[in-house]
Amino acid sequence: MFIFVNLFVWYFWIFVLLPTHECGHAAAARLMRMRVHAMIIGYGRNLFRFEAFGVPIEINARPLNGLTIALPDGHRFIRLRFWIFNLGGIGTHIFFIAIAVLLAPPTDIWSFLGALTNRPAWIETFILANAFLFFANAIPYKINMPQGSYLSDGYRVFQIPFARIENLIPFEKLTERLEAWNLLRTGEVLKAKEKYLQLVSENPDDMLAKHDLAVAELSLGNFAFARTVFREALESKEFELPAMNLLVKNNIAWVSAILGEPEMLAEADRFAGEAYASNPKLVNFIGTTGAVLARLGHYQAGLRLLEDAFGKTSETAARAANACFVAYAYAGIGDFKQSDHWMNKARTIDPDNACLGILSKEVEAFRAKQDQ
């Protein structure tokens, strides 16, 4: 019986230690005089956003992973600083294991294992949870997650000594971009737009800044402008790499799905299909493919993807937009009760969402057609 109790306790410790792991990264960053731009725990519906010690922190409904973003203030000892920053997470587990062993040293391995079956083993499960997270993060590997490719701490620690400095700091204005990105994530779109406009004014040839400005304009409902910039980005040198190229193709497909113009949908279907095939776990690709399928009349297939994307998305605007498309797809199959439910959910999440005006009209058109 106690083995099941202790399995539950072990799970409890895992979820407690995940944010602690990210705090280890943040502490190491501060030690290395790096600015911590964001600490994100999990994915899916956002539960809390707050700031602690100058660090924006986000807690989401599915606390299965974490991300801490930090940058140094210059190139001095940059490899060492990034190396220690990435060691900060796994270092917390070594520290906690050492403290637990000092507080309650096991007499031998058999008594340690026996405690798991004979009594509630809070210390033993704490040690095992830390050991699990240590190895899970120390082993070098790369996997696809809803937010994108996840590189383990071990992967990064192994990679950093061999990385070129320009790859560690990809472009000069990264700090300003991260500030704007944070504003965009938290729904402060106008402030994000101001920062992107400043970046573009300082360097009119910076296609990356233009692309990010287009993302902000997209959130404000300037769909035609966003689509024009995305198409320009598709032909630019900055977006030649496959991952970047697929990202901008997905953005073009998303805008085309919102606009719903028949002449755009064939291309949108092709672009979304390429992006989704490259990484079917990436939430942006899931949502776009679902939206395009719904626009093409494949409502059931679109619903499956759109509801999946909605559950995995944290950003307010993206969640509301996905909800709008779910409402559209339900209207397409004639289920107006569910359609109204999802449209109301979208309005609750983000009452100013740019997709509401377009897709609510589409839902009403379906309703009027059925009533005829």
Side-chain angles (χ1 to χ4, degrees):
M1 174 183 174
F2 282 111
I3 194 167
F4 296 108
V5 173
N6 287 323
L7 183 61
F8 175 79
V9 174
W10 179 81
Y11 274 116
F12 167 78
W13 284 127
I14 291 290
F15 289 121
V16 168
L17 289 167
L18 275 170
T20 307
H21 176 99
E22 298 306 322
C23 287
H25 283 302
R30 287 293 178 84
L31 182 66
M32 291 293 102
R33 296 188 177 183
M34 298 171 71
R35 179 180 172 184
V36 182
H37 288 272
M39 184 189 296
I40 303 169
I41 307 298
Y43 60 93
R45 180 172 60 90
N46 178 254
L47 300 178
F48 308 105
R49 283 193 179 101
F50 58 95
E51 191 170 300
F53 303 104
V55 178
I57 299 174
E58 180 179 306
I59 309 293
N60 298 314
R62 301 185 185 185
L64 303 178
N65 62 350
L67 175 67
T68 300
I69 301 172
L71 287 176
D73 54 4
H75 291 186
R76 185 176 173 82
F77 301 117
I78 187 171
R79 287 189 180 87
L80 176 64
R81 294 161 81 180
F82 269 116
W83 201 67
I84 291 176
F85 164 65
N86 282 284
L87 281 175
I90 54 182
T92 60
H93 305 303
I94 297 173
F95 173 78
F96 284 134
I97 289 171
I99 293 296
V101 169
L102 285 172
L103 291 176
T107 55
D108 56 66
I109 187 64
W110 301 113
S111 64
F112 179 89
L113 296 174
L116 300 174
T117 57
N118 297 327
R119 59 178 173 79
W122 287 91
I123 298 294
E124 290 82 358
T125 51
F126 180 73
I127 291 172
L128 288 174
N130 275 286
F132 172 81
L133 290 174
F134 171 81
F135 286 109
N137 286 280
I139 297 171
Y141 63 89
K142 177 181 177 180
I143 59 173
N144 290 328
M145 297 291 290
Q147 304 97 320
S149 294
Y150 172 79
L151 307 179
S152 71
D153 292 341
Y155 187 102
R156 294 180 186 277
V157 165
F158 179 78
Q159 184 186 51
I160 285 168
F162 308 101
R164 298 170 64 181
I165 287 179
E166 55 265 36
N167 290 335
L168 294 174
I169 300 292
F171 35 82
E172 187 178 359
K173 293 290 185 180
L174 187 55
T175 296
E176 289 88 343
R177 294 179 199 275
L178 282 173
E179 290 174 354
W181 173 78
N182 261 333
L183 290 168
L184 206 56
R185 279 183 60 83
T186 55
E188 297 183 75
V189 183
L190 290 174
K191 289 183 180 179
K193 178 182 174 179
E194 286 178 13
K195 285 190 172 291
Y196 287 132
L197 283 170
Q198 182 180 350
L199 287 168
V200 172
S201 68
E202 291 171 1
N203 186 359
D205 296 325
D206 186 347
M207 199 63 236
L208 290 164
K210 286 183 180 179
H211 172 274
D212 292 347
L213 172 61
V215 173
E217 295 284 9
L218 179 60
S219 298
L220 293 169
N222 299 324
F223 302 120
F225 172 84
R227 193 173 188 276
T228 300
V229 175
F230 291 150
R231 294 208 65 86
E232 184 184 349
L234 190 61
E235 306 301 325
S236 69
K237 183 179 179 181
E238 291 92 333
F239 289 86
E240 285 179 349
L241 290 175
M244 299 292 284
N245 189 263
L246 288 168
L247 173 67
V248 76
K249 282 183 174 180
N250 186 74
N251 287 346
I252 292 169
W254 174 249
V255 182
S256 299
I258 294 171
L259 295 173
E261 299 293 340
E263 64 273 16
M264 297 179 180
L265 292 179
E267 179 190 67
D269 188 31
R270 187 173 73 254
F271 282 179
E274 288 179 33
Y276 183 72
S278 73
N279 185 355
K281 291 186 178 180
L282 187 62
V283 66
N284 290 351
F285 293 175
I286 296 170
T288 298
T289 304
V292 172
L293 285 171
R295 277 297 197 183
L296 291 170
H298 306 302
Y299 303 118
Q300 293 288 4
L303 270 174
R304 178 178 58 83
L305 294 175
L306 286 163
E307 289 182 333
D308 183 32
F310 177 84
K312 291 176 178 175
T313 302
S314 303
E315 292 89 344
T316 300
R319 280 177 66 80
N322 280 321
C324 285
F325 270 107
V326 172
Y328 172 83
Y330 271 118
I333 60 175
D335 190 342
F336 292 101
K337 182 178 179 181
Q338 281 293 330
S339 179
D340 291 342
H341 166 75
W342 279 94
M343 196 59 77
N344 288 332
K345 184 177 288 191
R347 290 190 182 96
T348 301
I349 294 169
D350 183 8
D352 299 319
N353 192 273
C355 290
L356 279 166
I358 293 176
L359 292 171
S360 60
K361 290 179 182 177
E362 300 279 358
V363 167
E364 292 309 310
F366 278 123
R367 199 190 309 270
K369 186 177 180 180
Q370 188 186 65
D371 291 341
Q372 286 177 353

